[in-house]
């Protein structure tokens, strides 16, 4: 697929492309900028970063050097949990925009619901940023259904998305159901379970039948579930392999096989994660 074909083939969820590039741990400035530039040149139109990744300036450089209009790129970043007080949200978001070299971002997430996160205080700051035109959409990251419900009750702006770890080994059905019934888009980080999907027999069998990689099978399954995936990749080969997942159609048997994988392997579980998540 060329750039135009990929950009046109990736489905969208209310304007958000359902396949994007994650940049977690892409901390080498030159490599990060080049991976973003390569992804956009390939046809990706969704780039995800965060304050704590330390690469917002490199992401911005990659966007500027790609031959793609800024208006065509869905750009998301996240406010680190230690900065979720009202004044800190306002200040650090403006700093993020400066580092990215943009006037606004399409989606701003509260990265983790950890202290000093307070729904009313934090989301009032997000609402102010939205009113000022500095962010288009409000998002949460690593929120449970209960925490999402609270956020929805106090936020003037709709909660647009919730970004969490999700893949065939952590299927998040309860959270998926809540988001689907509340018009919240689910965004999957670590959608390849940090490489663990390559060793799952069910995924290996489906991949062999279709002549594709286990990564493509996992990404196609997420898409079938209405989930946006943001796999991280640096090399062109991995970027292209992930992109090719949009051409893969899983049949009902494939989907059922993946749905019935009886494992729950959470890869990301820091000490400040919410209880019972």
């Amino acid at each position: 697929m060329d750039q135009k074909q990929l950009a046109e083939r990736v489905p969208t969820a209310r304007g958000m492309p359902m396949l994007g590039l994650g940049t977690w741990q892409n901390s080498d400035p030159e490599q990060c900028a080049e991976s973003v530039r390569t992804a956009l040149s390939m046809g990706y139109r969704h780039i995800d970063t965060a304050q704590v990744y330390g690469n917002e300036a490199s992401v911005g450089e990659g966007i500027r050097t790609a031959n793609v209009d800024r208006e065509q790129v869905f750009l998301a970043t996240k406010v680190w949990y230690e900065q979720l007080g009202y004044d800190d949200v306002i200040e650090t978001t403006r700093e993020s925009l400066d580092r990215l070299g943009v006037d606004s971002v399409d989606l701003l997430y509260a990265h983790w619901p950890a202290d000093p996160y307070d729904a009313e205080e934090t989301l009032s700051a997000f609402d102010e940023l939205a009113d000022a035109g500095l962010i288009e959409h409000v998002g949460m990251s690593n929120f449970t259904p209960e925490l999402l419900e609270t956020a929805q009750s106090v936020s003037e702006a709709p909660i647009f998305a919730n970004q969490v770890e999700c893949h065939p080994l952590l299927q998040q059905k309860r959270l998926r159901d809540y988001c689907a019934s509340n018009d919240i888009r689910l965004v999957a980080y670590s959608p390849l379970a940090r490489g663990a999907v390559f060793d799952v027999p069910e995924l290996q069998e489906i991949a062999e039948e279709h002549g594709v990689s286990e990564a493509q099978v996992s990404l196609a399954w997420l898409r079938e579930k209405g989930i946006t995936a943001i796999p991280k990749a640096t090399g062109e080969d991995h970027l292209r392999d992930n992109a090719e997942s949009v051409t893969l159609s899983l049949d009902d048997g494939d989907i059922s096989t993946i749905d019935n994988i009886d494992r729950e392997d959470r890869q990301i579980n820091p000490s400040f994660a919410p209880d019972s998540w």
Side-chain angles (χ1 to χ4, degrees), residues 46-67:
H46 179 173
I47 306 295
D48 181 273
T49 183
Q51 293 174 353
V52 76
Y53 298 172
N55 62 12
E56 288 175 317
S58 300
V59 168
E61 178 67 15
I63 293 172
R64 284 190 295 277
T65 56
N67 188 26

Side-chain angles (χ1 to χ4, degrees), residues 15-238:
M16 177 176 65
M18 294 182 67
L19 177 67
L21 174 65
T23 61
W24 180 49
Q25 295 183 327
N26 195 347
S27 56
D28 179 89
E30 291 185 4
Q31 182 187 66
C32 182
E34 179 60 19
S35 63
V36 170
R37 187 201 67 79
T38 300
L40 292 173
S41 299
M42 198 176 289
Y44 284 77
R45 293 294 181 266
H46 179 173
I47 306 295
D48 181 273
T49 183
Q51 293 174 353
V52 76
Y53 298 172
N55 62 12
E56 288 175 317
S58 300
V59 168
E61 178 67 15
I63 293 172
R64 284 190 295 277
T65 56
N67 188 26
V68 176
D69 291 340
R70 165 67 185 98
E71 291 73 21
Q72 296 179 22
V73 180
F74 188 95
L75 178 59
T77 193
K78 310 175 195 73
V79 180
W80 187 234
Y81 78 86
E82 294 173 342
Q83 307 295 339
L84 289 176
Y86 179 90
D87 290 336
D88 289 336
V89 169
I90 301 296
E91 181 179 353
T92 64
T93 299
R94 291 183 180 276
E95 293 170 350
S96 288
L97 296 180
D98 287 343
R99 286 190 293 268
L100 289 162
V102 297
D103 295 327
S104 65
V105 291
D106 300 276
L107 176 57
L108 183 70
Y109 294 98
H111 205 154
W112 288 89
D115 187 56
Y117 170 73
D118 173 82
E120 292 188 4
E121 181 178 351
T122 299
L123 288 167
S124 64
F126 274 60
D127 285 332
E128 180 173 322
L129 291 167
D131 290 342
L134 300 181
I135 67 175
E136 179 69 22
H137 296 297
V138 171
M140 307 289 102
S141 186
N142 302 299
F143 276 53
T144 63
E146 293 77 14
L147 289 166
L148 285 173
E149 185 175 18
T150 300
Q152 288 177 291
S153 71
V154 301
S155 177
E156 293 179 5
I159 304 302
F160 180 82
N162 186 31
Q163 185 181 131
V164 297
E165 179 183 346
C166 188
H167 45 71
L169 303 180
L170 185 66
Q171 298 191 10
Q172 300 274 25
K173 187 172 187 310
R174 176 170 172 262
L175 186 57
R176 281 163 35 205
D177 289 346
Y178 180 89
C179 288
S181 62
N182 285 272
D183 195 30
I184 298 172
R185 278 132 294 282
L186 197 67
V187 178
Y189 67 75
S190 297
L192 307 182
R194 307 190 74 180
V197 298
F198 291 97
D199 299 319
V200 179
E202 295 92 335
L203 300 178
Q204 291 173 336
E205 182 177 344
I206 295 170
E208 184 176 356
E209 290 175 355
H210 289 275
V212 299
S213 68
E214 292 84 0
Q216 289 183 36
V217 172
S218 300
L219 296 172
W221 176 81
L222 288 165
R223 188 178 68 251
E224 291 284 350
K225 298 297 182 181
I227 299 168
T228 295
I230 49 167
K232 69 173 185 176
T234 54
E236 184 173 350
D237 289 347
H238 286 162

